[in-house]
Amino acid sequence: MFNLLKKSPLTICEIIFSLVLGIFLSFFTGPVLALSSSLLFLLLFILIYKKQISRTTDFVKADFLNSAIVSFLADLTVNYFIKSIYVQNNFFIILSILLFFPLLFIPFLLSYRSIRLKSDVKKDKLIYLWLASGGFIFIFVFFIELPSELYINNYKEFPFSYFDLLYCQLFYIFIFIVLLVIISLLPKKAIKIFNVFLTIIIVNMYIQIMFFNKYIGEFVGAKFKWTQHPVYSTVGGLVLILISSAVILSVYRFKKEKYVFWIPVIIFALLSTSYIYTLIKADSDSFARRQYYFDGTEQFTIGKDKNVVILLADAVDNCLIKELIESDPELFDEFNDFTIYTDTCSVYDMTPFSTAQMFFGYTQKNGTDRSKPFLKRFADNDYRILLFNYVIFQEIPETPDEYISNYVIVNDNSEKVTIDYKFIRRNILKITLFQTLPCFFKSNEKINFNFDRSVFYGQRNGKSITEDNLLFGQNSHLEYNPYSDNCFIYQHIIGAHDQSDDYTIAARDSLNAFNTYINQMKELNVYDNSLIIITADHGLHDDVEGIPYPSASTPMLLIKKPNEHHESYIVSDKSVYFKDFQATVIKYSGLSQDGDTEIFGKSIDEIEEGKPRTRVWFDTRFNSDKEIRKYTYTGKTEELERVVKEGIYTKVNSYEIDLSEYE
């Protein structure tokens, strides 16, 4: 043992740090993994000592030393700095970069040191250096850069902070480092094969995310089906084969390991620059946990007297409703008291914008924010306002939380927070794999994009909100609300965003879930006195090529007014525009006042049947090109389909619109 310690002046420090690693691992990976990793280290150490594997001795110890340092500093940064300096600012961002970013170079530097000490052959040195740098670059791209870009560009979708994301990713980083250590003990030929394979992965990851993710959709859960893009997917597959063949031939035919080694390094230089820039330009809010949540405790309660119930199934398009009316007419026997509006148009094609416009009248135009007048009208009439979807607040500048009963703001940053890191890791891994895999291998598995369930605050006594189509129907066991006899309720389920292979099936599942909910309202004798609106915030997204629908602008809309009954459902072809939503809800609730037209506009009742109407729709599917398309049309849905198909639009830089100009 003492002879081994004499081989390197840093060996004693390396052993101490490696043993300390097990202690720190236990804090965030659990005792089982910490114990197994410690036993693995002990096994490797004994193997090195007994077999005298001198060539890889320092390499192995250097990797474990790196693991210990990274674990220690990451644990220190996450658990000390983030908890002590929770209100992040630009200084904290710079501090984080200084702490985290240099750590990424440690495997490269320490592994080079081990090679310099133990290898006398230049080619052997390159193989081990290739392994160290390639492993480090893969860790950086897959576990740090891609999840970071995803998070910071969509941080409003996540209740946890950016540093929570990094913290949970440490699990995979450690596992991969252990894998590299084990591979370093293999014969040089095996390591060379692994290096070639790793280079192929890194290069193809870069090519995929830069050039072949055009049609995978926004961060909304749209499913990619490569069979709908045969040419695009085939080209991507050929590029994959070409890159793989080029790397293999360069190494084994032309003996150009040096050049192949530098390709991932160049990719790292490009992506690391992008990573630093992303961190610097990131909104400071992305470095903090979302400080509010919607409590789901009252999700399946209803007022005993009067109710306004808005059942929203995301992305369920009118075209799906028309298909179901033809293919499954019995489904609508349960909605015989409703009027089905077949000519609808949303203002926006994305949930955050559309829900903000529907419920709050917000259109990003000065003077058009009617959020407080709308909610205040119901609050002043003793309605308990319950909203079961947090996306509704993402695009409005001032949240009208004072009127919302299940809106909980976390003011005490020091209170205990429980984070489900396993849930975050699993779903972030799915998303990253979906980003990096070639078209042929992209999974059709449903990815849960609702990360709300991953964070729980100490004061939270409520429950998570149910948004899954089928679970909503299964969990629906309505009872009277214990706090108020009058309730304004907004339920939001995934709808056609559930990544079903058949969007019509997703629409049917949504309607069946709502039917269960409505039948329970009947059992509690609250159906007659309730205004019930079944709708969507937008139609099917057309950002996935091959969907046989022209636009995301025609959401379903079914309305039953209080005490409304008929033998069968009524079909109306009124030109409904979602600017009419607030006025319609207020009028049908019986809460109209003088001057409402000036504030909220006209209700559906005031729209003439069959009269042409000018409407505007914003399409953001080209957002990756920083382009927003504004379509203006006069007429029915078919006219909108025509202008979309023929590309008759105005390119704009914002979503601003004064809806008062469109009657």
Side-chain angles (χ1 to χ4, degrees):
M1 177 66 72
F2 288 104
N3 290 333
L4 183 63
L5 295 178
K6 293 178 181 178
K7 288 188 175 182
S8 169
L10 293 180
T11 302
I12 297 178
C13 295
E14 292 171 356
I15 293 174
I16 294 174
F17 273 116
S18 299
L19 294 176
V20 171
L21 169 63
I23 299 175
F24 282 99
L25 286 174
S26 64
F27 284 103
F28 58 86
T29 58
V32 175
L33 184 58
L35 178 62
S36 61
S37 62
S38 299
L39 291 176
L40 177 62
F41 165 75
L42 182 61
L43 176 64
L44 291 173
F45 192 84
I46 293 174
L47 178 65
I48 293 168
Y49 174 66
K50 293 292 185 182
K51 301 296 183 180
Q52 295 294 305
I53 308 177
S54 59
R55 176 165 293 176
T56 56
T57 298
D58 280 337
F59 179 81
V60 172
K61 289 185 294 180
D63 270 335
F64 273 102
L65 171 61
N66 170 67
S67 301
I69 294 174
V70 171
S71 301
F72 174 78
L73 292 181
D75 186 78
L76 178 68
T77 304
V78 173
N79 284 312
Y80 178 74
F81 284 105
I82 292 181
K83 291 181 179 179
S84 301
I85 316 172
Y86 199 82
V87 181
Q88 286 79 13
N89 50 37
N90 292 334
F91 171 77
F92 186 79
I93 296 173
I94 295 173
L95 176 64
S96 302
I97 294 174
L98 293 176
L99 281 174
F100 275 101
F101 196 70
L103 298 182
L104 304 177
F105 293 96
I106 293 178
F108 180 89
L109 297 176
L110 293 182
S111 299
Y112 183 80
R113 163 191 163 270
S114 66
I115 295 163
R116 180 173 54 81
L117 290 173
K118 292 298 178 184
S119 180
D120 298 325
V121 183
K122 186 176 181 180
K123 193 170 183 179
D124 290 349
K125 183 187 297 184
L126 178 62
I127 290 176
Y128 285 103
L129 193 62
W130 189 0
L131 173 64
S133 60
F136 150 65
I137 293 169
F138 177 82
I139 289 174
F140 170 74
V141 174
F142 195 83
F143 296 115
I144 298 177
E145 199 275 337
L146 284 179
S148 298
E149 292 274 358
L150 172 74
Y151 177 89
I152 291 174
N153 291 329
N154 303 276
Y155 74 90
K156 292 182 178 180
E157 302 280 350
F158 303 96
F160 50 86
S161 75
Y162 172 66
F163 295 106
D164 291 327
L165 173 65
L166 287 183
Y167 187 70
C168 74
Q169 292 295 90
L170 290 176
F171 172 82
Y172 290 125
I173 294 173
F174 171 73
I175 293 297
F176 196 80
I177 289 176
V178 171
L179 177 63
L180 289 180
V181 171
I182 296 174
I183 292 172
S184 70
L185 299 175
L186 298 176
K188 290 192 295 296
K189 288 185 178 180
I191 297 176
K192 189 174 182 180
I193 294 173
F194 182 81
N195 285 340
V196 170
F197 181 68
L198 198 58
T199 300
I200 291 173
I201 291 177
I202 293 170
V203 176
N204 278 288
M205 281 171 54
Y206 180 76
I207 296 296
Q208 184 67 39
I209 61 179
M210 293 299 295
F211 304 106
F212 285 95
N213 275 343
K214 181 179 179 181
Y215 296 121
I216 68 169
E218 300 283 344
F219 186 68
V220 293
K223 181 184 290 186
F224 179 89
K225 298 179 182 178
W226 69 266
T227 53
Q228 296 178 348
H229 318 277
V231 176
Y232 188 77
S233 299
T234 301
V235 172
L238 292 175
V239 170
L240 170 64
I241 295 173
L242 180 63
I243 291 173
S244 303
S245 302
V247 172
I248 294 172
L249 289 174
S250 298
V251 173
Y252 290 101
R253 178 69 176 85
F254 301 107
K255 309 299 181 181
K256 301 294 184 181
E257 292 97 331
K258 181 187 299 185
Y259 300 105
V260 175
F261 160 77
W262 281 107
I263 292 175
V265 174
I266 294 172
I267 291 175
F268 164 73
L270 295 172
L271 292 180
S272 61
T273 303
S274 172
Y275 174 65
I276 295 175
Y277 177 73
T278 299
L279 286 179
I280 293 175
K281 74 177 181 66
D283 192 320
S284 60
D285 288 343
S286 64
F287 296 93
R289 299 185 184 108
R290 192 193 319 131
Q291 295 300 296
Y292 71 89
Y293 64 87
F294 286 84
D295 187 359
T297 303
E298 301 175 57
Q299 182 170 14
F300 297 108
T301 65
I302 198 83
K304 188 180 294 186
D305 188 10
K306 297 179 180 180
N307 296 281
V308 174
V309 179
I310 299 168
L311 304 173
L312 190 149
D314 208 316
V316 175
D317 201 290
N318 246 333
C319 62
L320 303 178
I321 299 301
K322 294 174 183 178
E323 288 181 17
L324 287 172
I325 289 176
E326 294 182 4
S327 63
D328 190 7
E330 295 83 6
L331 175 65
F332 293 88
D333 291 343
E334 302 294 336
F335 303 100
N336 57 298
D337 294 329
F338 286 78
T339 299
I340 302 177
Y341 295 91
T342 58
D343 180 21
T344 60
C345 183
S346 61
V347 181
Y348 303 107
D349 71 333
M350 296 292 287
T351 299
F353 297 107
S354 190
T355 52
Q357 181 274 313
M358 291 168 64
F359 287 89
F360 306 136
Y362 180 60
T363 58
Q364 298 195 5
K365 191 76 173 177
N366 291 335
T368 60
D369 183 358
R370 299 185 297 272
S371 58
K372 292 193 175 181
F374 181 69
L375 293 184
K376 187 176 185 299
R377 181 68 56 86
F378 290 95
D380 289 345
N381 286 272
D382 299 324
Y383 276 80
R384 186 168 179 82
I385 299 173
L386 301 168
L387 308 182
F388 298 104
N389 179 258
Y390 81 93
V391 179
I392 198 169
F393 278 170
Q394 286 189 6
E395 297 301 333
I396 56 177
E398 183 179 356
T399 58
D401 50 270
E402 59 186 288
Y403 302 114
I404 301 173
S405 304
N406 65 321
Y407 181 87
V408 181
I409 299 177
V410 181
N411 294 315
D412 182 9
N413 294 329
S414 64
E415 71 171 326
K416 182 179 179 181
V417 178
T418 302
I419 300 179
D420 188 346
Y421 290 110
K422 183 178 179 181
F423 178 85
I424 297 173
R425 275 198 303 265
R426 182 173 64 251
N427 288 284
I428 291 293
L429 179 63
K430 288 179 182 178
I431 296 171
T432 307
L433 281 171
F434 189 75
Q435 287 181 301
T436 55
L437 287 173
C439 298
F440 286 109
F441 302 108
K442 288 190 186 298
S443 172
N444 283 332
E445 181 184 359
K446 176 181 176 181
I447 300 175
N448 191 334
F449 284 88
N450 181 9
F451 285 87
D452 266 13
R453 70 178 69 175
S454 62
V455 177
F456 298 91
Y457 292 92
Q459 297 175 349
R460 179 170 182 166
N461 297 316
K463 297 183 296 185
S464 296
I465 295 172
T466 301
E467 291 191 333
D468 182 88
N469 296 340
L470 298 177
L471 288 179
F472 183 87
Q474 296 170 6
N475 293 347
S476 181
H477 301 289
L478 280 182
E479 57 186 29
Y480 295 125
N481 188 283
Y483 306 107
S484 177
D485 291 339
N486 303 327
C487 289
F488 179 102
I489 299 171
Y490 161 49
Q491 304 277 10
H492 186 122
I493 64 175
I494 296 173
H497 273 334
D498 71 345
Q499 301 187 341
S500 169
D501 287 329
D502 191 322
Y503 292 104
T504 307
I505 292 176
R508 182 187 293 115
D509 290 342
S510 302
L511 290 175
N512 283 329
F514 290 158
N515 181 45
T516 300
Y517 187 96
I518 291 171
N519 282 333
Q520 292 178 8
M521 290 180 65
K522 294 177 180 179
E523 293 172 3
L524 293 175
N525 297 317
V526 298
Y527 173 79
D528 286 344
N529 289 341
S530 298
L531 166 63
I532 304 175
I533 298 177
I534 299 175
T535 187
D537 46 352
H538 52 75
L540 282 171
H541 283 289
D542 56 352
D543 56 356
V544 180
E545 191 178 79
I547 289 181
Y549 307 108
S551 66
S553 58
T554 55
M556 71 168 173
L557 180 62
L558 297 79
I559 299 178
K560 183 205 79 76
K561 293 179 282 189
N563 300 308
E564 181 177 7
H565 299 283
H566 11 89
E567 293 291 331
S568 178
Y569 62 83
I570 298 172
V571 177
S572 172
D573 67 346
K574 286 186 176 183
S575 297
V576 177
Y577 195 20
F578 269 23
K579 76 177 289 289
D580 315 321
F581 188 82
Q582 286 187 324
T584 300
V585 173
I586 287 178
K587 181 171 183 179
Y588 289 171
S589 301
L591 302 180
S592 298
Q593 296 178 2
D594 292 339
D596 276 357
T597 302
E598 297 178 2
I599 303 174
F600 304 111
K602 296 180 180 179
S603 69
I604 289 178
D605 276 354
E606 298 170 87
I607 301 172
E608 294 183 27
E609 197 87 27
K611 182 179 179 180
R613 188 179 186 186
T614 299
R615 290 173 281 187
V616 173
W617 174 63
F618 291 88
D619 189 356
T620 61
R621 63 177 171 151
F622 302 97
N623 198 40
S624 60
D625 300 324
K626 305 301 181 184
E627 179 177 339
I628 302 169
R629 296 186 175 184
K630 178 181 177 181
Y631 292 90
T632 303
Y633 69 103
T634 302
K636 298 295 183 180
T637 299
E638 293 75 17
E639 178 63 14
L640 173 61
E641 293 176 358
R642 184 187 70 82
V643 297
V644 171
K645 183 177 181 180
E646 296 180 8
I648 304 173
Y649 63 88
T650 302
K651 182 177 177 180
V652 295
N653 296 320
S654 74
Y655 305 95
E656 291 187 357
I657 182 174
D658 188 350
L659 289 175
S660 63
E661 299 176 3
Y662 301 92
E663 294 298 329

